[in-house]
Amino acid sequence: MEKIMVIGAAGQIGSELVSELRKIYGNGNVWATDIKTPSADIAESGPFQVLDVMDDKQLIHFVIRHKITQIYHLAAVLSGNAEKLPLQAWRINMDSLMNILEVARMVEDVKKVFWPSSIAVFGPTTPRTNTPQLTVMEPITVYGISKLAGERWCDYYYNKYGVDVRSVRYPGLISYKTEAGGGTTDYAVEIYYEAIQKGRYESFLKAGTTLPMLFMPDAIKAAIDLMEADRSKLTIHSSYNLGGFSTKPEDIAGEIKKHIPNFNISYDPDFRQQIAESWPQSVDDTIARMDWGYECTYDLTKMTEIMLSEIRKK
Ligand code: AKB
């Protein structure tokens, strides 16, 4: 019987992941945890606990008491916000991961850990198109540095202690249930909300800024598929490249215009432009496809239809 714990359950990935995991494993077997209260459907459809992953004692007591077998650790400070408070972001991103890795090492019941990395591990010296799994990695953001260091620690705990940590390098994630917060790819979420609320959007990234993106249902499926994959088939113990589809602000605006003809986009790039320009435009995810059958099923057109109709309902 699996007992699963999701850390960061009130966040953009966590809120959707908890619902999917509860469908698969049963509501009572999936603990939602966060420092803040999640939406009512998460807090009321199964167990919820206020928990600070930075508090290692509270964390280990919780894991032992509830006989947790799988941990999804999603709490992190994203790229844009991390640049505003670099040392604080470094501490949160690194200490929280180290607490999880230590718990997984010490508590025998814990069999698997999921921790998301990001395309932010790459930098301006990385090949930007079809970025390979193994390549130059010189990230220029504190978020990217923390994700790259985290990947090395995951690989280290796997090799040294046999801790089964599984990870993907997410591209920008687009969703309508819970808004993202503080990332560089967040423009691709904001644009849909503002298209409906105001009929216009001022992008903080320039026209022509291409980045890989993934619609949340594909991102959630990837996390669960990777966690369910046969361990012997996995060849990457740092983090798997995940591609998604590549897009730029004017492409999304063009898709929105098909539904809202008067929609207008303008551009006022800020500090996140430099971050975006240091990240890949597309990513080679052949190894994820081969090892555990990853696929991206939503493209920009299909995703835009769903984003607009779901946000309208809100
Ligand atoms: C961000 O923009 O910081 C994140 C990411 C790509 O990891 N969405």
Side-chain angles (χ1 to χ4, degrees):
M1 169 75 80
E2 298 292 345
K3 287 277 174 198
I4 300 174
M5 169 184 193
V6 177
I7 297 165
Q12 190 199 12
I13 307 175
S15 54
E16 299 202 30
L17 181 66
V18 167
S19 309
E20 274 315 298
L21 289 172
R22 284 183 178 161
K23 280 186 212 153
I24 300 170
Y25 295 98
N27 288 4
N29 295 321
V30 180
W31 275 93
T33 74
D34 206 302
I35 47 171
K36 51 182 193 264
T37 310
S39 60
D41 59 324
I42 298 292
E44 287 159 19
S45 65
F48 167 70
Q49 172 70 49
V50 175
L51 184 136
D52 184 355
V53 63
M54 301 295 281
D55 181 343
D56 54 349
K57 290 192 182 60
Q58 190 195 7
L59 177 68
I60 196 162
H61 284 143
F62 182 89
V63 168
I64 292 172
R65 179 153 178 238
H66 297 288
K67 300 188 167 42
I68 298 297
T69 60
Q70 294 186 25
I71 303 175
Y72 287 77
H73 170 37
L74 309 170
V77 183
L78 296 185
S79 56
N81 278 351
E83 290 309 296
K84 295 175 193 157
L85 288 167
L87 285 184
Q88 203 173 321
W90 170 258
R91 280 190 205 111
I92 293 172
N93 290 356
M94 292 316 299
D95 290 357
S96 64
L97 175 62
M98 298 316 288
N99 286 348
I100 296 294
L101 292 175
E102 275 296 281
V103 164
R105 179 179 74 79
M106 289 187 289
V107 182
E108 219 181 303
D109 280 342
V110 179
K111 300 291 182 245
K112 287 180 225 173
V113 172
F114 178 83
W115 170 78
S117 183
S118 159
I119 54 162
V121 292
F122 301 114
T125 50
T126 303
R128 289 190 72 203
T129 52
N130 214 21
T131 301
Q133 175 72 39
L134 288 177
T135 184
V136 181
M137 295 166 99
E138 295 184 313
I140 56 163
T141 61
V142 68
Y143 173 68
I145 299 169
S146 73
K147 288 293 184 188
L148 180 54
E151 286 191 10
R152 300 322 312 150
W153 276 113
C154 291
D155 196 60
Y156 182 89
Y157 269 69
Y158 174 82
N159 287 312
K160 188 155 177 118
Y161 305 117
V163 172
D164 189 359
V165 201
R166 303 182 181 198
S167 176
V168 293
R169 292 173 180 152
Y170 277 134
L173 298 181
I174 304 180
S175 63
Y176 56 84
K177 288 196 182 140
T178 307
E179 283 184 61
T184 300
T185 58
D186 289 11
Y187 91 84
V189 178
E190 290 171 10
I191 192 170
Y192 289 104
Y193 278 87
E194 297 202 12
I196 287 180
Q197 286 160 358
K198 302 181 188 158
R200 65 190 141 76
Y201 178 64
E202 187 172 83
S203 171
F204 59 75
L205 296 186
K206 282 187 205 159
T209 311
T210 301
L211 287 167
M213 301 281 176
L214 193 62
F215 193 31
M216 192 57 86
D218 279 335
I220 299 293
K221 186 169 183 309
I224 297 175
D225 286 353
L226 176 58
M227 284 293 266
E228 303 231 306
D230 181 347
R231 180 172 172 163
S232 65
K233 301 238 162 66
L234 304 180
T235 57
I236 303 287
H237 303 287
S238 53
S239 189
Y240 280 93
N241 270 11
L242 279 201
F245 55 88
S246 292
T247 192
K248 42 192 186 303
E250 64 270 36
D251 294 343
I252 305 184
E255 284 298 324
I256 293 175
K257 267 176 180 288
K258 291 184 189 164
H259 304 265
I260 308 173
N262 293 332
F263 174 71
N264 183 42
I265 185 164
S266 56
Y267 301 92
D268 186 16
D270 67 13
F271 70 99
R272 287 169 283 192
Q273 182 64 36
Q274 194 200 1
I275 300 179
E277 284 174 14
S278 76
W279 288 353
Q281 297 181 327
S282 60
V283 167
D284 177 7
D285 52 25
T286 313
I287 304 179
R289 290 173 191 272
M290 278 174 10
D291 283 7
W292 47 277
Y294 166 69
E295 55 174 344
C296 165
T297 61
Y298 290 90
D299 61 13
L300 178 60
T301 306
K302 205 152 113 190
M303 183 191 76
T304 299
E305 279 167 27
I306 301 173
M307 285 297 285
L308 291 175
S309 78
E310 291 298 329
I311 296 170
R312 267 201 192 103
K313 285 186 208 155
K314 283 179 154 189

